[in-house]
Amino acid sequence: MLLGTRDTSPNIESTFMDNTFLPLTPILHRWIQDIIEQPITLFRAIEQHGSPINIHHLAPLEENIDAYVGVLTKYNITHKIFFARKANKCLELAQAAAHAGQGVDTASYRELQQCVESGIANRQLVLTAAVKNRSLLELALQHDITVVLDNEDELQLAQDVAQEKKRTMEINIRVGGFFVENQRLPTRFGFPIDRAVACVSGLADKYPNLVYTGLHFHLNGYSVSERVAAIEQSVRVIDELANEGIHTKSLDIGGGILMNYLQSEQEWLDFHQALREAVLGKRSALTYQNDALGMVKIDGQLHGEPTVYPYFNKLHKEHLLEAILTTPSSIFNVPIHQLFTARNLEFRMEPGRSLLDQVGCTVAKVAFRKEDSEGRLLVGLEMNRTQLRSSSADFLLDPIHLPKREDQEAKDPCYAYLVGSYCLEQELILKRKVRLKSYPEIGDLILFPNTAGYMMHFYESEAHLFELAKNVFL
Ligand SMILES: Cc1ncc(COP(=O)(O)O)c(C=O)c1O
């Protein structure tokens, strides 16, 4: 029998008295700790802007940029870091990245237009949009923005646009399909790496208005070794092109650098172990209706892994970048960083999520408390699940309960599921059961930490004509 993610066996929560909660304690930057300690400003902000609100702070963004720059400088690598603004729509973040001397990776007409209009210099912008129409390429050409091209149709359109305006357009070529352990990494993006030399060396004849300056890739997943392989194979292409007299200025390795959300590896491991036991009916449920978070139960056996972001990571951010750069290249017999310095090749990267580590949080107001038909406590929030959503099956960090009355703090904790305002049975803000300081009161606040990267904006919708959450900056 295939049960998918929903277990229809008798309500395990009421069958088992084991209601042990498994914490997933988030790392909190000082600024978040400060607002938690002084929540009066949060209550005022919710009064003023409505619920939920997204609160941002630029200092951690600058710290994250500095950490990457520190590693690149340590190895004397000429570099530019382009903040992938698709991870959060606030222009202030793009401006802050530019202000810090770095750049912005844009993925749509409005992302690019806003950056240009806000005065970010053309050399600090790159356009990587997954679909580029004529008007987007015209905008890029008008402002001399480097465009990363993905396929022949885009090359042709870019050529047409540049030729029509009697201009040249600076382009990078996106490559993909790298080989790792004799297998190709599957992707829908880019020109196959083994055809990249032919592609680039044919450009000048076929597309005379396009000026090639670099290679680009962005890999799915977070693997260090796959990034190392992709860099090596790209550099091999760059060397072959150099032999043909074609110069490559930069290699852009895209984003996908892991970040770490959680304080404790043990908590992370314990949660996964307990989730499996719960889904197999061996302990009380940790998730609503015993949701398996992407695992599948067939004939009493669990298959697959939870389809969640790896919220705990020992190796993350600048440490992960350094691990890539110091890996010895099996092709060139030197560490990866020397591939850049020896060729005077500019290193580019496009981190989105990891530059937003600790940059934002989302706060929502409690609207109601009730029990569902099975007797589970539900806490209704004035927000919907698109306002805290990424491609991960759940956001596995403990939210923080901020009671409006101080005397509530001393009471017993309670366990509940957080539900939102869309009219769906599946409208859970978090699938995981959460611990609250006490039985919540209407008007209490729930703070979700570290939501700036993807969680706030990527899937937010205006269904039911609810207004989008307000974004504020400290
Ligand atoms: C081309 C490109 N660059 C950069 C990024 C940012 O990746 P991340 O936020 O994982 O760092 C993405 C994400 O999808 C991307 O598609």
Side-chain angles (χ1 to χ4, degrees), residues 175 226 308:
V175 283
E226 289 175 7
V308 293

Side-chain angles (χ1 to χ4, degrees), residues 163-351:
Q163 193 176 337
E164 209 173 273
K165 304 275 187 229
K166 299 189 174 50
R167 303 258 314 267
T168 55
M169 182 187 285
E170 184 169 322
I171 62 153
N172 285 359
I173 293 292
R174 181 161 179 169
V175 283
F178 298 100
F179 293 88
V180 176
E181 288 165 11
N182 294 325
Q183 300 260 344
R184 234 192 228 287
L185 293 179
T187 178
R188 74 181 179 95
F189 291 106
F191 291 86
I193 188 68
D194 41 335
R195 280 191 260 141
V197 174
C199 164
V200 176
S201 55
L203 285 175
D205 286 342
K206 239 169 135 185
Y207 308 110
N209 293 62
L210 305 185
V211 178
Y212 162 81
T213 58
L215 290 185
H216 170 284
F217 64 81
H218 169 77
L219 302 185
N220 203 19
Y222 313 102
S223 157
V224 168
S225 58
E226 289 175 7
R227 280 170 178 74
V228 166
I231 292 171
E232 290 176 310
Q233 289 164 45
S234 300
V235 170
R236 204 161 48 189
V237 167
I238 287 167
D239 286 352
E240 285 183 45
L241 290 171
N243 287 339
E244 294 184 25
I246 298 169
H247 177 59
T248 302
K249 276 202 267 187
S250 60
L251 173 60
D252 185 336
I253 71 157
I257 307 284
L258 282 168
M259 60 177 260
N260 180 31
Y261 291 82
L262 296 174
Q263 286 186 19
S264 158
E265 181 173 27
Q266 199 54 52
E267 284 183 1
W268 179 243
L269 297 174
D270 290 348
F271 171 77
H272 280 268
Q273 174 66 24
L275 179 68
R276 298 182 82 83
E277 288 167 10
V279 175
L280 290 171
K282 295 180 183 162
R283 59 170 299 141
S284 58
L286 306 180
T287 51
Y288 196 65
Q289 291 181 339
N290 221 351
D291 191 307
L293 303 185
M295 292 183 289
V296 177
K297 190 166 118 184
I298 304 169
D299 293 336
Q301 296 270 344
L302 266 185
H303 297 264
E305 294 294 322
T307 52
V308 293
Y309 184 83
Y311 290 98
F312 179 85
N313 289 291
K314 259 197 209 125
L315 186 61
H316 57 271
K317 289 205 299 195
E318 70 273 20
H319 311 292
L320 194 143
L321 173 62
E322 188 158 12
I324 294 172
L325 294 174
T326 52
T327 301
S329 162
S330 54
I331 300 181
F332 295 93
N333 292 321
V334 292
I336 290 293
H337 59 88
Q338 283 184 24
L339 301 183
F340 291 89
T341 46
R343 290 164 183 76
N344 206 12
L345 181 64
E346 183 179 86
F347 176 94
R348 295 183 166 202
M349 65 193 292
E350 297 163 354

Side-chain angles (χ1 to χ4, degrees), residues 84 86 105 128 174 216 218 255-256 350-353 454:
K86 70 190 73 170
D105 159 29
T128 61
R174 181 161 179 169
H216 170 284
H218 169 77
E350 297 163 354
R353 182 193 295 266
Y454 296 106

Side-chain angles (χ1 to χ4, degrees), residues 7 9-18 277-285 290 297 376:
D7 191 336
S9 53
N11 184 3
I12 291 152
E13 277 163 272
S14 54
T15 317
F16 288 75
M17 292 313 291
D18 171 16
E277 288 167 10
V279 175
L280 290 171
K282 295 180 183 162
R283 59 170 299 141
S284 58
N290 221 351
K297 190 166 118 184
R376 288 175 283 230

